[in-house]
Amino acid sequence: MTHQIHDIGIAKQIGTYSDAIEVASGLRWLFTSGTPGLERSGKLPSDIAGHAEVAWTHIVAMLESADMTVHDLVKVSHYLLRAEDLPAYVKVRARFLGDARPASMLLLTPALVRPEFLLEVEAIAAKR
Amino acid sequence: MTHQIHDIGIAKQIGTYSDAIEVASGLRWLFTSGTPGLERSGKLPSDIAGHAEVAWTHIVAMLESADMTVHDLVKVSHYLLRAEDLPAYVKVRARFLGDARPASMLLLTPALVRPEFLLEVEAIAAKR
Amino acid sequence: MTHQIHDIGIAKQIGTYSDAIEVASGLRWLFTSGTPGLERSGKLPSDIAGHAEVAWTHIVAMLESADMTVHDLVKVSHYLLRAEDLPAYVKVRARFLGDARPASMLLLTPALVRPEFLLEVEAIAAKR
């Protein structure tokens, strides 16, 4: 991680993320939109693992476009429709994050902008 | 827009917003609260278009108070109660945003802080 | 408050928070994760007041870890499962915030990352 982690013992009981992240002054920032598992071609994967894979591929592409990586992530928010999708989602997220430990928020929601979207991922990153 | 847009081809399939926004270092920031369509007089409009009009008028007023405009917006989050309100909401939002293209997140929620609020809008902006 | 408040007359109709907060350039930032009322021991309080007390104790601990206080808060988001918990939650929040007036967003959600979590609190703060 390029940012300072402030762990107080809560996040580690729940998942592989940090309780809080401190960002130094003087950095540039990247704010992504809520990003669904929708392919550039307009196709939608058939299951939650596919949605997660596509959404995270987009997040990484946006980071790269700004010359950043997952290690520059400050905060990631995850919006899912169904509680039963959590285990499959978390597995994909872990693969993309590697040892990066951004702050995190996960929310179940009755619906996203299109009813067929199973999830959206939203990220904030910062880098010198 | 005063910020750098990083588009990767997803947002444009869904609406008139950007996939991600990069903000330069050294700017000052404005964070608004979740802002409902509640008038300063305490009155509440009768329909979703009215709620949207009032909420966006408030967002613009807060931007102006900080010597900013919609072109300084980085990220806007939209919280709606009912999926069927989306088309009317999006129409009002488009009118206020003009050609500004902040990053965006739209979420359906079972309820906001008061049950009669049909929506809330929340914005982050930055300017030198 | 160490940040500039931009009030336009909406927030004060609803609660003790600011319509918008302006943050000067050149500060360092703290982003917390969505923080539930889960104790460091793994125990979960029995009611909403207990969840609120524990979650806010964690938020303050993260601020202190970054040499910040509630007066450095810029934005706080509150996620609750049940509308009837609002009065008890707001009472605890008010005690922790004192006269601090960050921007605020409150959302009811069908569920958080674990079904037994009654709330989560998420904060952004900034300080020189």
Side-chain angles (χ1 to χ4, degrees):
Chain A
M1 292 290 291
T2 56
H3 309 298
Q4 187 179 346
I5 291 176
H6 290 277
D7 271 335
I8 60 161
I10 311 311
K12 70 173 183 186
Q13 298 184 51
I14 300 171
T16 50
Y17 62 96
S18 299
D19 284 313
I21 295 289
E22 182 179 340
V23 181
S25 64
L27 305 195
R28 57 195 178 83
W29 291 81
L30 188 75
F31 283 75
T32 82
S33 287
T35 303
L38 177 68
E39 298 188 27
R40 293 183 198 209
S41 66
K43 274 186 21 183
L44 212 58
S46 58
D47 64 0
I48 183 69
H51 282 242
E53 181 85 27
V54 170
W56 271 99
T57 300
H58 293 334
I59 295 289
V60 169
M62 290 183 261
L63 289 167
E64 282 178 357
S65 172
D67 190 29
M68 298 183 183
T69 74
V70 291
H71 290 91
D72 300 307
L73 287 168
V74 174
K75 175 75 176 281
V76 184
S77 298
H78 322 270
Y79 304 88
L80 279 84
L81 293 199
R82 308 180 302 209
E84 62 265 33
D85 286 344
L86 258 166
Y89 172 70
V90 165
K91 209 175 283 181
V92 175
R93 177 182 69 178
R95 184 157 40 78
F96 278 87
L97 282 181
D99 60 353
R101 292 282 175 275
S104 181
M105 174 72 207
L106 189 146
L107 204 60
L108 291 183
T109 175
L112 293 159
V113 65
R114 288 190 191 168
E116 64 270 26
F117 290 170
L118 297 181
L119 60 78
E120 291 199 19
V121 181
E122 190 187 28
I124 303 174
K127 193 182 176 186
R128 198 154 299 278
Chain B
M1 291 290 292
T2 55
H3 309 298
Q4 188 179 346
I5 291 175
H6 291 276
D7 271 336
I8 61 161
I10 311 310
K12 70 173 183 188
Q13 299 184 51
I14 301 171
T16 49
Y17 62 95
S18 299
D19 284 312
I21 295 289
E22 181 178 341
V23 181
S25 64
L27 304 195
R28 56 195 177 84
W29 292 80
L30 188 74
F31 283 75
T32 82
S33 287
T35 302
L38 177 69
E39 297 187 29
R40 293 183 198 208
S41 67
K43 274 186 21 184
L44 213 57
S46 58
D47 64 0
I48 183 69
H51 282 243
E53 181 84 26
V54 171
W56 271 99
T57 301
H58 294 334
I59 295 288
V60 168
M62 289 182 260
L63 290 168
E64 281 177 359
S65 172
D67 190 29
M68 299 185 182
T69 75
V70 292
H71 290 91
D72 301 307
L73 287 169
V74 174
K75 173 77 176 280
V76 184
S77 298
H78 322 270
Y79 304 89
L80 278 85
L81 293 200
R82 308 180 303 208
E84 63 266 32
D85 286 345
L86 258 166
Y89 173 69
V90 164
K91 209 175 286 181
V92 175
R93 178 182 68 178
R95 185 158 40 79
F96 277 88
L97 282 180
D99 60 353
R101 293 282 175 273
S104 182
M105 174 74 209
L106 190 146
L107 204 61
L108 292 182
T109 174
L112 293 159
V113 65
R114 288 190 191 168
E116 63 271 27
F117 290 169
L118 297 182
L119 60 78
E120 290 199 19
V121 181
E122 190 187 27
I124 303 173
K127 192 181 176 187
R128 196 154 301 278
Chain C
M1 292 288 293
T2 55
H3 309 299
Q4 188 179 347
I5 291 176
H6 290 277
D7 270 335
I8 61 162
I10 311 311
K12 71 173 182 186
Q13 298 183 50
I14 301 171
T16 50
Y17 62 95
S18 299
D19 284 312
I21 296 288
E22 181 179 341
V23 181
S25 64
L27 304 196
R28 58 196 175 83
W29 292 82
L30 187 75
F31 284 74
T32 83
S33 288
T35 303
L38 176 69
E39 298 187 27
R40 293 183 198 208
S41 66
K43 274 185 23 182
L44 212 58
S46 58
D47 64 0
I48 183 69
H51 282 242
E53 181 84 28
V54 171
W56 271 99
T57 301
H58 293 334
I59 295 289
V60 169
M62 290 183 260
L63 289 167
E64 281 177 359
S65 171
D67 190 28
M68 298 184 182
T69 74
V70 292
H71 290 91
D72 301 307
L73 287 169
V74 174
K75 175 76 175 280
V76 184
S77 299
H78 322 271
Y79 305 89
L80 278 85
L81 293 200
R82 309 181 302 210
E84 63 264 33
D85 286 344
L86 258 166
Y89 172 69
V90 165
K91 208 175 286 183
V92 175
R93 178 182 68 178
R95 184 157 40 78
F96 277 87
L97 282 181
D99 61 353
R101 291 283 175 274
S104 182
M105 173 74 208
L106 190 146
L107 203 61
L108 291 183
T109 174
L112 293 159
V113 65
R114 289 190 190 167
E116 64 270 27
F117 290 170
L118 297 182
L119 59 79
E120 290 199 19
V121 181
E122 191 186 27
I124 303 174
K127 192 182 176 187
R128 198 153 299 278

